[in-house]
Amino acid sequence: MWSHYANNRKGFCLEFYTNKSQNGLNPLDVNYTDSFVKANFYKEKETALFHMAFTKAKHWEYEEELRIINTHFTDFESRKFSFLKEDVKSIYLGVNCDPKVRNDILSIVERIYDNKVNVFAGSLSGNSFEIEWKEVIISVK
């Protein structure tokens, strides 16, 4: 997924614990299918929206994607997503993650999360298309 979604592996990824509490994150599995069903928004609005948001071609099944939908996007500020501190399990830094972003994330993990979140840095494998992950040890001041 790094190749598709992370701007040439420059980004980072948050891994969350799910279903820990009613107030925590509770994503839904994406439905992968070989057949495309055209949704009828006029007759079955809720079903059509759900199908549109949670269905992908079977080709992408290896992603094992989960999604959360927020429908209250009215401006840039409303696109920000809040989550509980306890929901963050790990952070993965892309192979080409900007050093400033990396340092900012490590500082946040040290300061806010008391180093209780695992951080992994990616590097390209020398003999496959895989990314190899190595845990980053954060120095405690």
Side-chain angles (χ1 to χ4, degrees):
M1 289 179 49
W2 285 92
S3 305
H4 300 292
Y5 303 115
N7 189 18
N8 194 27
R9 301 178 199 96
K10 293 178 188 171
F12 62 92
C13 175
L14 300 177
E15 179 182 12
F16 294 99
Y17 293 107
T18 57
N19 298 313
K20 283 183 66 174
S21 70
Q22 190 68 10
N23 295 323
L25 296 173
N26 293 294
L28 299 173
D29 292 314
V30 166
N31 178 40
Y32 300 97
T33 183
D34 283 325
S35 58
F36 178 78
V37 177
K38 189 170 182 176
N40 186 331
F41 292 100
Y42 297 106
K43 289 188 177 179
E44 300 171 330
K45 184 171 112 178
E46 286 80 17
T47 303
L49 290 172
F50 184 84
H51 176 74
M52 183 177 75
F54 290 97
T55 303
K56 287 177 83 169
K58 193 116 178 131
H59 170 77
W60 301 106
E61 192 169 29
Y62 69 91
E63 292 182 342
E64 299 178 16
E65 186 175 346
L66 297 145
R67 291 182 177 176
I68 296 174
I69 302 299
N70 182 349
T71 59
H72 304 292
F73 297 144
T74 56
D75 57 25
F76 183 76
E77 281 300 308
S78 65
R79 292 184 63 188
K80 294 180 180 177
F81 192 85
S82 295
F83 51 85
L84 300 175
K85 180 174 133 177
E86 307 75 59
D87 284 340
V88 179
K89 181 177 182 180
S90 301
I91 301 173
Y92 293 82
L93 306 170
V95 172
N96 299 319
C97 188
D98 181 276
K100 182 184 180 333
V101 172
R102 175 189 168 103
N103 290 337
D104 288 348
I105 289 171
L106 295 177
S107 175
I108 289 168
V109 169
E110 186 177 23
R111 198 175 66 251
I112 309 259
Y113 290 92
D114 302 320
N115 294 335
K116 291 182 179 137
V117 171
N118 297 319
V119 179
F120 299 93
S123 62
L124 294 178
S125 172
N127 54 4
S128 75
F129 294 110
E130 302 292 318
I131 295 176
E132 296 175 352
W133 300 102
K134 185 176 179 181
E135 187 166 6
V136 176
I137 305 302
I138 303 170
S139 62
V140 179
K141 294 179 182 177

